Coordinates of all heavy atoms in Angstrom, one line a residue:
M21 N 33.2 20.9 -1.7 CA 32.2 19.9 -2.0 C 30.9 20.4 -2.4 O 30.4 21.3 -1.7 CB 32.1 18.9 -0.7 CG 31.4 17.7 -0.9 SD 31.4 16.7 0.7 CE 29.9 15.8 0.4
S22 N 30.3 20.0 -3.5 CA 29.2 20.6 -4.0 C 27.9 19.9 -3.3 O 28.0 18.7 -2.8 CB 29.0 20.4 -5.5 OG 29.0 19.2 -5.9
E23 N 26.8 20.6 -3.4 CA 25.6 20.1 -2.5 C 24.9 19.2 -3.5 O 24.6 19.5 -4.7 CB 24.8 21.4 -2.2 CG 23.7 20.9 -1.2 CD 22.9 22.1 -0.7 OE1 23.4 23.4 -1.0 OE2 22.1 22.0 0.1
N24 N 24.5 18.1 -3.0 CA 23.7 17.1 -3.9 C 22.2 17.4 -3.7 O 21.8 17.6 -2.6 CB 24.0 15.7 -3.5 CG 25.4 15.4 -3.7 OD1 26.1 15.7 -4.7 ND2 26.2 14.9 -2.6
C25 N 21.5 17.4 -4.8 CA 20.1 17.8 -4.7 C 19.2 16.6 -5.0 O 18.2 16.3 -4.4 CB 19.8 18.8 -5.7 SG 20.5 20.3 -5.2
F26 N 19.6 15.7 -5.9 CA 18.7 14.7 -6.3 C 19.5 13.4 -6.4 O 20.6 13.4 -6.9 CB 18.0 14.9 -7.7 CG 17.0 16.0 -7.5 CD1 17.3 17.2 -8.1 CD2 15.8 15.8 -7.0 CE1 16.4 18.3 -8.0 CE2 14.8 16.9 -6.9 CZ 15.2 18.2 -7.4
V27 N 18.9 12.3 -6.0 CA 19.5 10.9 -6.1 C 18.5 10.2 -7.2 O 17.3 10.0 -6.9 CB 19.6 10.2 -4.9 CG1 20.1 8.7 -5.2 CG2 20.4 11.0 -3.9
R28 N 19.0 9.9 -8.3 CA 18.3 9.1 -9.3 C 18.2 7.6 -8.8 O 19.2 7.0 -8.5 CB 19.0 9.1 -10.6 CG 18.3 8.6 -11.8 CD 19.2 8.7 -13.1 NE 18.4 8.5 -14.3 CZ 18.2 7.2 -14.7 NH1 18.8 6.2 -14.1 NH2 17.5 7.0 -15.7
Q29 N 17.0 7.2 -8.8 CA 16.8 5.7 -8.5 C 15.7 5.1 -9.2 O 14.8 5.8 -9.8 CB 16.3 5.7 -7.0 CG 17.4 5.9 -6.1 CD 16.9 5.5 -4.6 OE1 15.9 6.1 -4.1 NE2 17.5 4.5 -4.0
E30 N 15.7 3.9 -9.3 CA 14.6 3.1 -10.0 C 13.7 2.7 -8.8 O 14.1 2.2 -7.8 CB 15.1 2.0 -10.8 CG 14.0 1.2 -11.5 CD 14.5 0.0 -12.3 OE1 15.5 0.2 -13.1 OE2 14.0 -1.1 -12.1
A31 N 12.4 2.8 -9.0 CA 11.4 2.6 -8.0 C 11.4 1.1 -7.8 O 10.9 0.3 -8.7 CB 10.0 3.1 -8.4
S32 N 11.8 0.7 -6.6 CA 11.6 -0.8 -6.3 C 10.3 -1.0 -5.5 O 9.8 -0.1 -5.1 CB 12.8 -1.2 -5.4 OG 12.8 -0.6 -4.2
L33 N 9.8 -2.2 -5.4 CA 8.6 -2.6 -4.6 C 9.0 -2.2 -3.2 O 8.0 -1.8 -2.5 CB 8.4 -4.1 -4.8 CG 7.7 -4.6 -6.0 CD1 7.5 -6.0 -5.9 CD2 6.4 -3.8 -6.1
D34 N 10.3 -2.3 -2.7 CA 10.4 -1.8 -1.3 C 10.2 -0.3 -1.0 O 9.6 0.2 0.0 CB 11.9 -1.9 -0.9 CG 12.2 -3.5 -0.6 OD1 11.2 -4.2 -0.3 OD2 13.3 -3.9 -0.4
I35 N 10.6 0.5 -2.0 CA 10.3 1.9 -2.0 C 8.9 2.1 -2.0 O 8.3 2.9 -1.1 CB 11.1 2.6 -3.0 CG1 12.6 2.6 -2.8 CG2 10.6 4.1 -3.2 CD1 13.5 3.2 -3.9
I36 N 8.2 1.5 -2.9 CA 6.8 1.8 -3.1 C 6.1 1.3 -1.9 O 5.1 2.1 -1.4 CB 6.3 1.1 -4.4 CG1 7.0 1.8 -5.6 CG2 4.8 1.1 -4.5 CD1 6.7 0.9 -6.9
A37 N 6.4 0.2 -1.3 CA 5.6 -0.3 -0.2 C 6.0 0.3 1.1 O 5.2 0.6 1.9 CB 6.0 -1.9 -0.1
N38 N 7.2 0.8 1.3 CA 7.8 1.3 2.6 C 7.9 2.8 2.6 O 7.9 3.3 3.8 CB 9.0 0.6 2.9 CG 8.8 -0.9 3.0 OD1 8.0 -1.5 3.5 ND2 9.9 -1.6 2.6
V39 N 8.1 3.4 1.5 CA 8.3 4.8 1.5 C 7.3 5.7 1.0 O 6.7 6.5 1.7 CB 9.7 5.1 0.8 CG1 10.2 6.5 1.0 CG2 10.9 4.3 1.4
T40 N 7.1 5.6 -0.2 CA 6.1 6.4 -1.0 C 5.5 5.6 -2.2 O 6.4 4.8 -2.8 CB 6.6 7.8 -1.2 OG1 5.4 8.5 -1.7 CG2 7.6 7.8 -2.3
N41 N 4.3 5.8 -2.6 CA 3.9 5.3 -3.8 C 3.4 6.3 -4.7 O 2.6 6.1 -5.7 CB 2.8 4.2 -3.6 CG 1.6 4.7 -2.9 OD1 1.5 5.8 -2.4 ND2 0.6 3.8 -2.8
F42 N 3.7 7.5 -4.4 CA 3.3 8.6 -5.2 C 4.3 9.8 -5.3 O 5.1 9.9 -4.3 CB 2.0 9.3 -5.1 CG 1.7 9.7 -3.6 CD1 2.1 11.0 -3.2 CD2 1.3 8.9 -2.6 CE1 1.9 11.5 -2.0 CE2 1.3 9.3 -1.2 CZ 1.5 10.6 -0.9
C43 N 4.3 10.7 -6.4 CA 5.2 11.9 -6.3 C 4.8 12.8 -5.4 O 3.5 13.2 -5.3 CB 5.2 12.3 -7.8 SG 6.0 14.0 -7.9
S44 N 5.7 13.4 -4.6 CA 5.3 14.3 -3.6 C 4.8 15.7 -4.1 O 4.4 16.4 -3.3 CB 6.5 14.6 -2.6 OG 6.8 13.5 -2.0
E45 N 5.0 15.9 -5.4 CA 4.7 17.2 -5.9 C 3.4 17.1 -6.7 O 2.4 17.9 -6.5 CB 5.8 17.7 -6.8 CG 5.6 19.1 -7.3 CD 5.5 20.2 -6.4 OE1 6.0 20.0 -5.2 OE2 4.8 21.2 -6.5
C46 N 3.3 16.2 -7.7 CA 2.2 16.1 -8.5 C 1.2 15.0 -8.1 O 0.1 14.9 -8.7 CB 2.5 16.0 -10.0 SG 3.4 14.4 -10.4
Y47 N 1.6 14.2 -7.3 CA 0.9 13.1 -6.8 C 0.6 11.9 -7.7 O -0.4 11.1 -7.6 CB -0.5 13.5 -6.1 CG -0.2 14.5 -5.0 CD1 -0.5 15.8 -5.1 CD2 0.4 14.1 -3.8 CE1 -0.2 16.8 -4.1 CE2 0.7 15.0 -2.7 CZ 0.4 16.3 -3.0 OH 0.7 17.2 -2.0
N48 N 1.3 12.0 -8.8 CA 1.3 10.7 -9.8 C 1.7 9.5 -9.1 O 2.6 9.5 -8.3 CB 2.1 11.0 -10.9 CG 1.3 11.8 -12.1 OD1 0.2 12.1 -11.9 ND2 2.1 12.2 -13.0
V49 N 1.0 8.4 -9.3 CA 1.3 7.2 -8.7 C 2.6 6.6 -9.3 O 2.8 6.7 -10.6 CB 0.2 6.1 -8.9 CG1 0.7 4.8 -8.5 CG2 -1.1 6.5 -8.2
I50 N 3.5 6.2 -8.5 CA 4.8 5.7 -8.9 C 4.7 4.2 -9.2 O 4.2 3.4 -8.4 CB 5.8 5.9 -7.9 CG1 6.2 7.4 -7.6 CG2 7.2 5.2 -8.3 CD1 7.0 7.8 -6.5
Q51 N 5.1 3.8 -10.4 CA 5.1 2.4 -10.8 C 6.4 1.7 -10.5 O 7.5 2.3 -10.6 CB 4.8 2.3 -12.3 CG 3.4 3.1 -12.8 CD 2.2 2.4 -12.3 OE1 2.2 1.3 -11.8 NE2 1.1 3.2 -12.3
E52 N 6.4 0.4 -10.3 CA 7.6 -0.3 -10.1 C 8.5 0.0 -11.4 O 8.0 0.0 -12.5 CB 7.3 -1.7 -10.0 CG 8.6 -2.5 -9.5 CD 8.4 -4.1 -9.4 OE1 7.2 -4.5 -9.7 OE2 9.3 -4.7 -9.0
H53 N 9.8 0.0 -11.2 CA 10.9 0.3 -12.3 C 10.9 1.7 -12.9 O 11.6 2.0 -13.8 CB 10.7 -0.7 -13.4 CG 10.9 -2.2 -12.9 ND1 11.8 -2.6 -12.0 CD2 10.0 -3.2 -13.0 CE1 11.7 -3.9 -11.7 NE2 10.6 -4.3 -12.3
E54 N 9.9 2.5 -12.4 CA 9.9 3.9 -12.9 C 11.1 4.6 -12.3 O 11.5 4.4 -11.2 CB 8.6 4.7 -12.5 CG 8.4 6.0 -13.0 CD 7.1 6.6 -12.6 OE1 6.1 5.9 -12.3 OE2 6.9 7.9 -12.6
V55 N 11.8 5.5 -13.1 CA 12.8 6.4 -12.6 C 12.3 7.5 -11.7 O 11.3 8.2 -12.1 CB 13.6 6.9 -13.7 CG1 14.7 7.9 -13.2 CG2 14.2 5.8 -14.5
I56 N 12.7 7.5 -10.4 CA 12.3 8.4 -9.5 C 13.5 9.3 -9.0 O 14.6 8.7 -9.1 CB 11.4 8.0 -8.4 CG1 12.2 6.8 -7.7 CG2 10.1 7.5 -8.9 CD1 11.5 6.3 -6.4
F57 N 13.3 10.4 -8.3 CA 14.4 11.1 -7.9 C 14.2 11.5 -6.4 O 13.0 12.1 -6.1 CB 14.6 12.5 -8.7 CG 14.9 12.1 -10.1 CD1 14.0 11.8 -11.0 CD2 16.2 12.1 -10.6 CE1 14.3 11.4 -12.4 CE2 16.6 11.7 -11.8 CZ 15.7 11.5 -12.8
Y58 N 15.1 11.2 -5.5 CA 15.0 11.6 -4.2 C 15.6 13.0 -4.0 O 16.7 13.2 -4.3 CB 15.9 10.7 -3.4 CG 15.6 10.9 -1.8 CD1 14.4 10.8 -1.3 CD2 16.6 11.3 -1.1 CE1 14.1 11.0 0.1 CE2 16.5 11.6 0.4 CZ 15.2 11.4 0.8 OH 15.0 11.6 2.2
D59 N 14.7 13.9 -3.5 CA 15.0 15.3 -3.2 C 15.7 15.4 -1.8 O 15.0 15.3 -0.8 CB 13.7 16.2 -3.3 CG 14.1 17.5 -3.0 OD1 15.2 17.9 -2.5 OD2 13.1 18.3 -3.2
M60 N 17.2 15.6 -1.9 CA 17.8 15.6 -0.6 C 17.6 16.8 0.2 O 17.9 16.8 1.5 CB 19.3 15.3 -0.9 CG 19.5 14.1 -1.7 SD 21.3 13.6 -2.0 CE 21.8 13.2 -0.3
Q61 N 17.1 17.9 -0.3 CA 16.9 19.0 0.5 C 15.5 18.9 1.2 O 15.2 19.6 2.3 CB 17.0 20.3 -0.4 CG 18.3 20.5 -0.9 CD 18.6 21.8 -1.6 OE1 17.7 22.3 -2.4 NE2 19.6 22.4 -1.6
N62 N 14.6 18.3 0.6 CA 13.2 18.2 1.1 C 12.8 16.9 1.6 O 11.7 16.7 2.1 CB 12.2 18.9 0.2 CG 12.5 20.3 -0.2 OD1 12.4 21.1 0.8 ND2 12.7 20.6 -1.4
Y63 N 13.7 15.9 1.5 CA 13.4 14.6 1.9 C 12.2 14.0 1.3 O 11.4 13.5 2.1 CB 13.4 14.5 3.4 CG 14.7 15.2 4.0 CD1 14.6 16.5 4.6 CD2 15.9 14.6 4.0 CE1 15.7 17.0 5.2 CE2 17.1 15.1 4.5 CZ 17.0 16.4 5.1 OH 18.0 17.0 5.7
R64 N 12.2 14.0 0.0 CA 10.8 13.5 -0.6 C 11.3 12.9 -2.1 O 12.3 13.2 -2.4 CB 9.9 14.5 -0.7 CG 10.4 15.7 -1.6 CD 9.2 16.8 -1.6 NE 9.8 17.8 -2.5 CZ 9.1 18.8 -2.9 NH1 7.9 19.0 -2.6 NH2 9.5 19.8 -3.9
Y65 N 10.4 12.1 -2.4 CA 10.5 11.6 -3.8 C 9.8 12.4 -4.9 O 8.7 12.7 -4.7 CB 10.1 10.0 -3.9 CG 11.2 9.2 -3.4 CD1 11.1 8.6 -2.2 CD2 12.4 8.9 -4.4 CE1 12.2 7.7 -1.8 CE2 13.3 8.1 -3.9 CZ 13.2 7.3 -2.6 OH 14.2 6.6 -2.2
L66 N 10.4 12.6 -6.0 CA 9.7 13.3 -7.1 C 9.8 12.5 -8.4 O 10.8 11.7 -8.5 CB 10.3 14.6 -7.5 CG 10.4 15.6 -6.4 CD1 11.2 16.9 -6.8 CD2 8.9 16.1 -6.0
C67 N 8.7 12.6 -9.2 CA 8.9 12.0 -10.5 C 9.9 12.7 -11.4 O 10.2 13.9 -11.1 CB 7.5 11.9 -11.1 SG 6.8 13.4 -11.7
E68 N 10.1 12.1 -12.6 CA 11.1 12.8 -13.4 C 10.6 14.1 -13.9 O 11.4 15.1 -13.9 CB 11.3 11.9 -14.6 CG 12.5 12.4 -15.5 CD 13.1 11.4 -16.4 OE1 12.4 10.3 -16.5 OE2 14.3 11.5 -16.7
T69 N 9.4 14.3 -14.2 CA 8.8 15.6 -14.7 C 9.0 16.7 -13.6 O 9.5 17.8 -13.9 CB 7.4 15.5 -15.1 OG1 7.2 14.4 -15.9 CG2 6.9 16.7 -15.7
C70 N 8.7 16.3 -12.4 CA 8.7 17.4 -11.3 C 10.2 17.7 -11.0 O 10.6 18.8 -10.6 CB 8.1 16.9 -10.1 SG 6.3 16.7 -10.3
K71 N 11.1 16.7 -11.0 CA 12.5 16.9 -10.7 C 13.1 17.8 -11.8 O 13.9 18.7 -11.3 CB 13.2 15.5 -10.7 CG 14.6 15.7 -10.7 CD 15.3 15.4 -12.1 CE 16.7 15.6 -12.1 NZ 17.2 15.6 -13.5
Q72 N 12.7 17.7 -13.1 CA 13.3 18.6 -14.0 C 12.7 20.0 -13.8 O 13.6 20.9 -14.0 CB 12.9 18.1 -15.3 CG 13.7 16.9 -15.9 CD 13.3 16.3 -17.1 OE1 12.3 16.5 -17.7 NE2 14.2 15.5 -17.6
S73 N 11.6 20.3 -13.5 CA 11.1 21.6 -13.3 C 11.7 22.2 -12.1 O 12.0 23.4 -11.9 CB 9.5 21.8 -13.2 OG 9.1 20.9 -12.1
F74 N 11.9 21.4 -11.0 CA 12.7 22.0 -9.8 C 14.1 22.1 -10.0 O 14.7 23.1 -9.6 CB 12.5 21.0 -8.6 CG 11.3 21.1 -7.8 CD1 10.1 20.6 -8.1 CD2 11.4 22.0 -6.7 CE1 8.9 20.7 -7.2 CE2 10.3 22.3 -6.0 CZ 9.0 21.7 -6.3
Q75 N 14.6 21.3 -10.8 CA 16.1 21.5 -11.0 C 16.4 22.8 -11.7 O 17.4 23.5 -11.5 CB 16.7 20.3 -11.9 CG 18.2 20.1 -11.8 CD 18.5 18.8 -12.3 OE1 18.1 18.4 -13.3 NE2 19.6 18.2 -11.6
E76 N 15.5 23.3 -12.6 CA 15.6 24.5 -13.4 C 15.8 25.6 -12.4 O 16.4 26.7 -12.5 CB 14.6 24.7 -14.4 CG 14.9 23.7 -15.5 CD 13.6 23.8 -16.4 OE1 12.7 24.5 -16.2 OE2 13.5 22.9 -17.3
K77 N 15.1 25.5 -11.3 CA 15.0 26.7 -10.3 C 16.0 26.6 -9.3 O 16.3 27.6 -8.4 CB 13.7 26.6 -9.5 CG 12.4 26.7 -10.3 CD 11.2 26.5 -9.5 CE 9.9 26.1 -10.4 NZ 8.9 25.4 -9.6
L78 N 16.6 25.5 -9.1 CA 17.8 25.3 -8.1 C 19.1 25.8 -8.5 O 19.4 26.0 -9.7 CB 17.8 23.8 -7.8 CG 16.6 23.2 -7.1 CD1 16.7 21.6 -7.0 CD2 16.5 23.8 -5.5
D79 N 19.9 25.9 -7.6 CA 21.3 26.2 -7.9 C 21.9 25.3 -8.8 O 21.8 24.1 -8.6 CB 22.1 26.2 -6.3 CG 23.3 26.9 -6.5 OD1 24.0 26.7 -7.5 OD2 23.6 27.7 -5.5
S80 N 22.6 25.9 -9.7 CA 23.3 25.0 -10.6 C 24.5 24.2 -10.1 O 25.0 23.3 -10.7 CB 23.9 26.0 -11.8 OG 24.8 26.8 -11.3
N81 N 24.8 24.4 -8.9 CA 25.9 23.7 -8.2 C 25.3 22.3 -7.7 O 26.0 21.5 -7.4 CB 26.4 24.4 -6.9 CG 27.3 25.5 -7.3 OD1 27.8 25.6 -8.3 ND2 27.2 26.6 -6.5
C82 N 24.0 22.2 -7.8 CA 23.4 21.1 -7.4 C 23.9 19.8 -8.3 O 24.0 20.0 -9.4 CB 21.8 21.0 -7.6 SG 21.1 21.9 -6.2
E83 N 24.0 18.7 -7.7 CA 24.7 17.6 -8.4 C 23.6 16.4 -8.4 O 23.2 16.1 -7.4 CB 26.0 17.3 -7.7 CG 26.9 16.3 -8.5 CD 28.1 16.1 -7.7 OE1 28.9 17.0 -7.6 OE2 28.4 15.0 -7.2
L84 N 23.5 15.7 -9.5 CA 22.6 14.6 -9.6 C 23.5 13.4 -9.4 O 24.5 13.3 -10.0 CB 21.9 14.6 -11.1 CG 21.0 13.2 -11.3 CD1 19.9 13.2 -10.3 CD2 20.6 13.3 -12.7
I85 N 23.0 12.7 -8.4 CA 23.7 11.4 -8.1 C 23.0 10.3 -8.8 O 21.8 10.1 -8.7 CB 23.7 11.0 -6.6 CG1 24.3 12.4 -5.8 CG2 24.6 9.9 -6.3 CD1 23.9 12.2 -4.3
E86 N 23.9 9.5 -9.5 CA 23.4 8.3 -10.2 C 23.5 7.2 -9.1 O 24.7 6.8 -8.8 CB 24.3 8.0 -11.4 CG 24.1 9.0 -12.6 CD 22.8 9.0 -13.3 OE1 22.1 7.9 -13.1 OE2 22.4 10.0 -13.8
N87 N 22.4 6.7 -8.7 CA 22.5 5.8 -7.6 C 21.3 4.8 -7.7 O 20.3 4.7 -7.0 CB 22.3 6.5 -6.1 CG 22.5 5.5 -5.1 OD1 22.9 4.3 -5.3 ND2 22.4 5.9 -3.9
E88 N 21.4 3.9 -8.7 CA 20.4 2.9 -9.0 C 20.5 1.7 -8.3 O 19.7 0.8 -8.1 CB 20.2 2.7 -10.5 CG 19.6 4.0 -11.2 CD 19.4 3.7 -12.7 OE1 18.3 3.3 -12.9 OE2 20.4 4.0 -13.4
T89 N 21.8 1.3 -7.8 CA 22.1 0.1 -7.3 C 22.0 0.1 -5.8 O 21.7 -0.9 -5.1 CB 23.5 -0.4 -7.7 OG1 24.4 0.6 -7.5 CG2 23.5 -0.8 -9.2
E90 N 22.3 1.2 -5.1 CA 22.4 1.3 -3.6 C 21.1 2.0 -3.1 O 21.1 3.3 -3.3 CB 23.6 2.1 -3.1 CG 24.8 1.2 -2.9 CD 25.9 2.0 -2.2 OE1 25.8 2.4 -1.1 OE2 26.9 2.2 -3.0
P91 N 20.1 1.4 -2.6 CA 18.9 2.0 -2.2 C 19.3 2.8 -0.9 O 20.2 2.4 -0.2 CB 18.0 0.7 -1.8 CG 18.8 -0.4 -1.9 CD 20.1 -0.1 -2.6
L92 N 18.5 3.8 -0.8 CA 18.7 4.7 0.4 C 18.1 4.0 1.7 O 18.4 4.3 2.7 CB 18.0 6.1 0.3 CG 18.7 7.0 -0.7 CD1 17.9 8.1 -1.0 CD2 20.0 7.5 -0.2
F93 N 16.9 3.3 1.4 CA 16.3 2.6 2.6 C 16.3 1.1 2.6 O 16.5 0.6 1.5 CB 14.8 3.1 2.6 CG 14.6 4.6 2.5 CD1 14.5 5.3 1.4 CD2 14.8 5.3 3.7 CE1 14.3 6.6 1.3 CE2 14.7 6.7 3.7 CZ 14.5 7.3 2.6
Ligands
ZN129 ZN1 5.6 14.6 -10.0

């Protein structure tokens, strides 16, 4: 079983209101409906730009999960 690194999600109002409203790396404000990525190793949300730069450094075994319909929270 490969290790999952990021979960792709669309930022809902629930996430923005209850979890985070900014990227944990660059602190850009997350807008509703923006595509965001949950970092499963560090338990934080990243914007697409930061996720891409992190993914390049991570193990290639990491697997991106497409999960836009089932929220984590
Ligand atoms: Zn960012």
Side-chain angles (χ1 to χ4, degrees):
M21 196 172 146
S22 63
E23 196 174 353
N24 299 312
C25 291
F26 293 101
V27 179
R28 185 180 190 276
Q29 286 191 298
E30 187 177 304
S32 65
L33 282 179
D34 277 350
I35 291 174
I36 293 168
N38 300 321
V39 187
T40 187
N41 60 356
F42 57 88
C43 168
S44 297
E45 185 63 24
C46 68
Y47 304 108
N48 273 354
V49 173
I50 294 169
Q51 308 288 344
E52 190 184 6
H53 303 309
E54 189 176 334
V55 174
I56 54 173
F57 295 87
Y58 185 67
D59 179 349
M60 298 182 74
Q61 293 186 322
N62 298 300
Y63 308 105
R64 60 183 186 170
Y65 276 103
L66 297 177
C67 69
E68 188 160 19
T69 307
C70 294
K71 170 258 175 191
Q72 279 172 350
S73 61
F74 268 91
Q75 200 168 36
E76 286 167 10
K77 298 174 203 160
L78 292 169
D79 195 313
S80 56
N81 289 329
C82 284
E83 189 179 298
L84 175 65
I85 307 170
E86 296 286 341
N87 186 8
E88 291 184 87
T89 50
E90 268 185 72
L92 291 170
F93 302 99

